[in-house]
C-alpha cells in the first residue's frame, strides 16, 4: 500500500468512527423507533438467551420493553414476561417476581448497578447502546449489506466504556461511569449497522464481567431498531404503584 493509499484509508477510518460516535445524535433526530432485543449470557458452560420487544423515544429518553425470560428448567419464572420501562437514571420492572406483588413496579437506579444497566434488565437500553459507541477506538468497515430490506453499512470494532462515559450525554454519563467500574474490561467488541441517515439499525455488543464467579460471565447484547417514527406511548409508573419492600434474591 502506497503512502497515499494509507492516508486515504486512515481518513476513511476516522470518518467511520465519527459516524458511529454520532449515531446517538442521529437517533435523537429520528425521534422514535420500534425495538427488538436479544441478550445471551454464557457462564460455566450454561447459555441463556433473553428476548424482548418494544419501542423507544430518543428525544424523551424513555422506552418500554416486554422481556421474556427463558425456561431455566427448574420451573422458577419459566417463560415469564417482565414489562420494563427504561430511562437513563432508572429501570422500572413489573411482573418481576421475587416476592413483588402482582401489578407493582420495582424501581432501580441505573447508577447503582455494577453494569450501569447495560445488561441487568435482560436488554440494553437502545440509547445507552448508541451512547456506548461514543467511545469507539478501533473500527473496520465490513461493507454494504441489507437489513430488513434497508441498505446499511456494517462496521466492526471496539469501543471503550470509560471514553464513552466521558463523551456521553449528561443523562447517560452516571450509568456508563458505573459500568466502567463494574465490567472486567473497559473494551467492548461490537458490530454496528448504520443506515444512510446515520441511524443505528442494529448493534451487537460483547461484554464480560465477574458476576461473582471465577470464570466470569460473557454477555452478547443485540439491539435491532426499525419502524422509525412509530408512536411510542410510555408513562412512568405512579408513585403508589412502585413497590418499596424487600425484593428476594432470584436468578430469574
Amino acid at each position: 500500500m502506497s503512502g497515499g493509499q494509507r492516508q486515504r484509508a486512515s481518513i476513511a477510518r476516522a470518518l467511520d468512527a465519527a459516524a458511529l460516535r454520532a449515531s446517538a445524535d442521529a437517533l435523537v433526530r429520528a425521534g422514535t423507533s420500534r425495538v427488538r432485543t436479544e441478550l445471551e449470557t454464557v457462564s460455566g458452560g450454561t447459555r441463556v438467551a433473553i428476548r424482548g420487544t418494544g419501542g423507544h423515544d430518543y428525544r424523551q429518553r424513555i422506552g418500554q420493553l416486554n422481556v421474556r425470560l427463558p425456561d431455566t428448567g427448574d420451573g422458577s419464572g419459566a417463560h415469564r414476561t417482565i414489562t420494563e420501562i427504561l430511562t437513563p437514571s432508572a429501570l422500572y420492572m413489573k411482573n418481576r417476581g421475587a416476592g413483588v406483588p402482582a401489578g407493582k413496579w420495582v424501581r432501580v437506579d441505573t447508577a447503582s448497578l455494577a453494569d450501569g444497566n447495560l445488561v441487568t434488565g435482560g436488554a440494553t437500553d437502545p440509547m445507552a447502546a448508541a451512547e456506548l459507541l461514543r467511545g469507539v477506538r478501533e473500527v473496520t468497515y465490513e461493507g454494504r449489506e441489507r437489513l430488513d430490506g434497508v441498505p446499511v453499512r456494517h462496521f466492526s470494532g471496539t469501543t471503550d466504556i470509560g471514553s464513552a462515559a466521558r463523551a456521553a450525554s449528561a443523562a447517560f454519563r452516571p450509568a456508563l461511569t458505573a459500568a466502567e467500574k463494574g465490567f472486567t474490561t473497559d473494551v467492548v467488541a461490537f458490530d454496528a449497522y448504520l443506515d444512510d441517515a446515520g441511524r443505528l439499525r442494529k448493534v451487537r455488543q460483547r461484554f464480560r464481567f465477574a458476576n461473582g464467579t471465577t470464570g466470569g460471565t460473557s454477555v452478547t447484547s443485540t439491539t435491532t431498531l426499525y419502524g422509525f417514527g412509530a408512536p411510542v406511548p410510555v408513562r412512568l409508573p405512579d408513585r403508589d404503584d412502585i413497590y418499596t419492600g424487600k425484593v428476594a434474591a432470584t436468578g430469574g
Side-chain angles (χ1 to χ4, degrees), residues 11-250:
I11 292 172
R13 285 193 297 272
L15 291 173
D16 292 342
L20 289 164
R21 294 182 186 121
S23 62
D25 301 323
L27 291 182
V28 173
R29 290 193 297 272
T32 64
S33 80
R34 306 301 299 165
V35 180
R36 290 193 304 268
T37 66
E38 180 175 351
L39 190 142
E40 182 180 86
T41 65
V42 179
S43 179
T46 300
R47 185 183 302 269
V48 175
I50 303 171
R51 293 177 174 84
T53 58
H56 208 90
D57 187 322
Y58 304 104
R59 293 176 185 163
Q60 300 299 320
R61 300 187 186 281
I62 189 170
Q64 182 166 313
L65 293 174
N66 291 320
V67 177
R68 188 171 176 82
L69 300 182
D71 184 353
T72 58
D74 60 6
S76 62
H79 298 304
R80 185 170 73 246
T81 298
I82 297 177
T83 301
E84 297 184 352
I85 293 177
L86 310 170
T87 75
S89 60
L91 167 67
Y92 298 84
M93 294 177 285
K94 186 168 71 172
N95 196 29
R96 172 70 174 80
V100 179
K104 288 288 188 179
W105 293 83
V106 175
R107 182 188 187 279
V108 182
D109 290 331
T110 55
S112 72
L113 297 169
D115 68 336
N117 194 36
L118 289 173
V119 301
T120 290
T124 302
D125 182 317
M127 193 66 184
E131 291 277 359
L132 189 54
L133 294 177
R134 293 192 192 274
V136 165
R137 291 288 184 85
E138 301 291 335
V139 60
T140 299
Y141 176 55
E142 302 289 354
R144 298 278 292 186
E145 300 180 20
R146 294 188 76 83
L147 186 63
D148 294 333
V150 176
V152 293
R153 292 171 291 160
H154 176 193
F155 302 95
S156 64
T158 60
T159 187
D160 180 88
I161 299 175
S163 297
R166 290 186 289 275
S169 60
F172 282 91
R173 198 168 299 139
L176 290 179
T177 299
E180 180 186 10
K181 300 172 183 176
F183 283 100
T184 304
T185 173
D186 273 6
V187 178
V188 176
F190 70 84
D191 282 88
Y193 303 77
L194 301 183
D195 64 17
D196 291 339
R199 300 174 299 193
L200 196 61
R201 288 281 180 163
K202 182 178 180 180
V203 60
R204 181 179 295 111
Q205 294 165 330
R206 292 172 283 278
F207 307 95
R208 176 168 287 277
F209 62 108
N211 200 28
T213 63
T214 303
T217 298
S218 63
V219 181
T220 301
S221 177
T222 305
T223 306
T224 303
L225 312 179
Y226 63 101
F228 285 98
V232 181
V234 183
R235 188 173 68 88
L236 290 176
D238 294 332
R239 181 176 297 180
D240 292 344
D241 292 331
I242 298 175
Y243 180 63
T244 58
K246 183 176 180 180
V247 180
T250 177

